[in-house]
Amino acid sequence: MSSSPDLQSPPGVVELREDVPLKAGAAGGGARLCGGGPRLILAAFAALTLAVTVALLTQIYAGDYEVVPHGSVSSSAAACAGAGAAALRRGGRAADASVATALCLAVLTPHRTSLDASGSLIYWEYRLSRSQLPTVLEWGAGVEAANASRERPPRLLVALAALHQRYGTRPWAELLQPAIDLARAGYPVSATLAAAAAAAGLAGYATPTRSDPGLADYLDALRHNTSSELCLSWHCPAAVRWAEGVPAARAGAWRVWGAGAGGALAVLALQSALDAASVDNSTSTVDSVLQSVVSSLQQQSVARAAQWPGGVASGVAVVDPRDTYVALVTGLSTPFGSEAGAGAASASAGAWARDAPAAPLDLAPAIIADQHVCGARYVVGAEAGAALAQGAAAMLLATPGGAVAAAERARLLLRPPARLLPEPAPPAPPGAPALNFVLQRGDALLSHADSRGGGVASRF
């Protein structure tokens, strides 16, 4: 007896009872579409498991390129950049590298910095940039009282001890050691150093190498105390000035942090030139922007006249593996310090010469960053405000990869009131101010030590 038509499924419709898919040879397109489904799912899971296993094994044995240690130190002495980079390789931070490099420069380049140098520093942990702005540390000229006691310790050592106490991770004694070794064993005398010594009438720099055992003994005596103990004895809080959370100045599409008297001048010049260039970028060229920079510097020199900063300086730029930046510039009112050559009258029986700046020094550390996360960031140790303004303008307008050529581009020296001079040919003392920098774009680093300073950037 045939079944009723009402109980039969219409042609082309698959029956949806629970037992239909489980019946062998069930008819209908749905059964054909689902055929082999479990096998496909199992195969996909197997392929995914294999891919994850291979990726994990590759990371374990080959490492992840994003966390490979990297860092750089740029300064006007190859041995000093190397000392800073060595501190980074041993697991140190940017503050540790800055201490080792600055102490080394006080030995190798005494015509531009010393243990009694004034200074300015910008410190920034970039990975915390969403919640933490840079910190500025300044000491010496323009910070301490004019009648500072003659019994005071050397300024640079006090500031570096304060920096290390707050941010350092490597032992203080370890960071002193490169400077001690160079002072005791001897170091090469550069042509610029020899020329500066001859101009100052100082003997002992006409030989290819020079040692300074008195300086080595003085530094060696400081190895037995920690930076915290030294700061307690030296009253570091009264000798240095910290400024937390310093806001950026806007210059065109860039954020700029500049410290020191020279850095302040450079920031104003960059703002004037880059703001104008962003408004009329159709006609702006590197040359036209540099003309605006120089014009701004000239106007500032007329306005400030006798208060225009001077002296000599040495610049350092550091980036550590954790993307912490230090831009540091230390300097003296005159080459070798105002009391160089005083013999027994010098502090610590001649181990270091005092410097007594009568006016602000031309120190110009800077950090310049674009508006994008992980975009371009320049850490700059500039030895004069005019050098920072001109060099930074050229670098920021350069094509990617052209920062080195931009930093080496010829610059003008500015002498108040509004007098422009071409750079002297080396090794004429005191030499043209150098512009040492490290550029980070994403995870890539480009570092360069200006040929004017004769240094080498050290990376790993």
Side-chain angles (χ1 to χ4, degrees), residues 69-75 80-89 92-95 97-98 101 316-327 379 436-440 443-449 456-460:
H70 66 288
S72 184
V73 181
S74 180
S75 78
C80 299
L88 296 180
R89 290 190 188 96
R93 300 296 303 277
S98 300
T101 303
V316 177
V318 180
V319 172
D320 73 11
R322 297 185 184 181
D323 298 340
T324 300
Y325 307 149
V326 171
V379 184
N436 303 316
F437 74 90
V438 180
L439 165 61
Q440 184 167 16
D443 288 327
L445 290 180
L446 170 66
S447 53
H448 179 66
V456 174
S458 183
R459 290 173 288 176
F460 74 97

Side-chain angles (χ1 to χ4, degrees), residues 125-377:
E125 296 187 27
Y126 185 73
R127 293 185 184 180
L128 303 178
S129 60
R130 291 187 179 275
S131 59
Q132 178 180 294
L133 291 171
T135 295
V136 171
L137 170 62
E138 296 184 301
W139 66 94
V143 175
E144 67 183 18
N147 59 349
S149 170
R150 291 189 59 80
E151 299 304 319
R152 62 173 175 77
R155 294 188 184 96
L156 178 64
L157 274 175
V158 175
L160 295 181
L163 176 67
H164 183 265
Q165 180 187 33
R166 179 177 288 203
Y167 296 120
T169 60
R170 302 303 301 171
W172 172 255
E174 177 186 297
L175 304 179
L176 286 169
Q177 198 61 54
I180 294 171
D181 293 341
L182 287 165
R184 197 178 304 283
Y187 57 90
V189 177
S190 67
T192 304
L193 173 56
L202 298 178
Y205 293 90
T207 57
T209 60
R210 172 184 168 82
S211 62
D212 196 336
L215 182 57
D217 291 341
Y218 178 74
L219 292 174
D220 191 58
L222 301 176
R223 294 177 62 253
H224 307 291
N225 296 98
T226 66
S227 58
S228 297
E229 292 169 343
L230 291 172
C231 268
L232 185 62
S233 173
W234 289 342
H235 307 290
C236 288
V240 302
R241 180 174 65 200
W242 294 95
E244 312 279 354
V246 177
R250 300 283 178 167
W254 298 87
R255 295 176 294 163
V256 183
W257 289 269
L265 299 171
V267 168
L268 291 176
L270 287 171
Q271 285 183 302
S272 174
L274 295 180
D275 286 349
S278 64
V279 171
D280 189 14
N281 55 17
S282 60
T283 60
S284 296
T285 64
V286 175
D287 287 338
S288 65
V289 171
L290 286 174
Q291 288 176 0
S292 297
V293 164
V294 171
S295 176
S296 174
L297 291 171
Q298 287 180 301
Q299 293 173 16
Q300 293 183 68
S301 71
V302 172
R304 301 194 59 166
Q307 291 300 311
W308 188 259
V312 293
S314 183
V316 177
V318 180
V319 172
D320 73 11
R322 297 185 184 181
D323 298 340
T324 300
Y325 307 149
V326 171
L328 165 66
V329 182
T330 61
L332 304 167
S333 59
T334 61
F336 300 96
S338 60
E339 295 188 14
S346 295
S348 300
W352 54 278
R354 295 185 183 275
D355 186 47
L361 298 184
D362 200 357
L363 313 177
I367 295 178
I368 305 173
D370 69 14
Q371 307 296 328
H372 306 289
V373 176
C374 293
R377 289 143 279 160

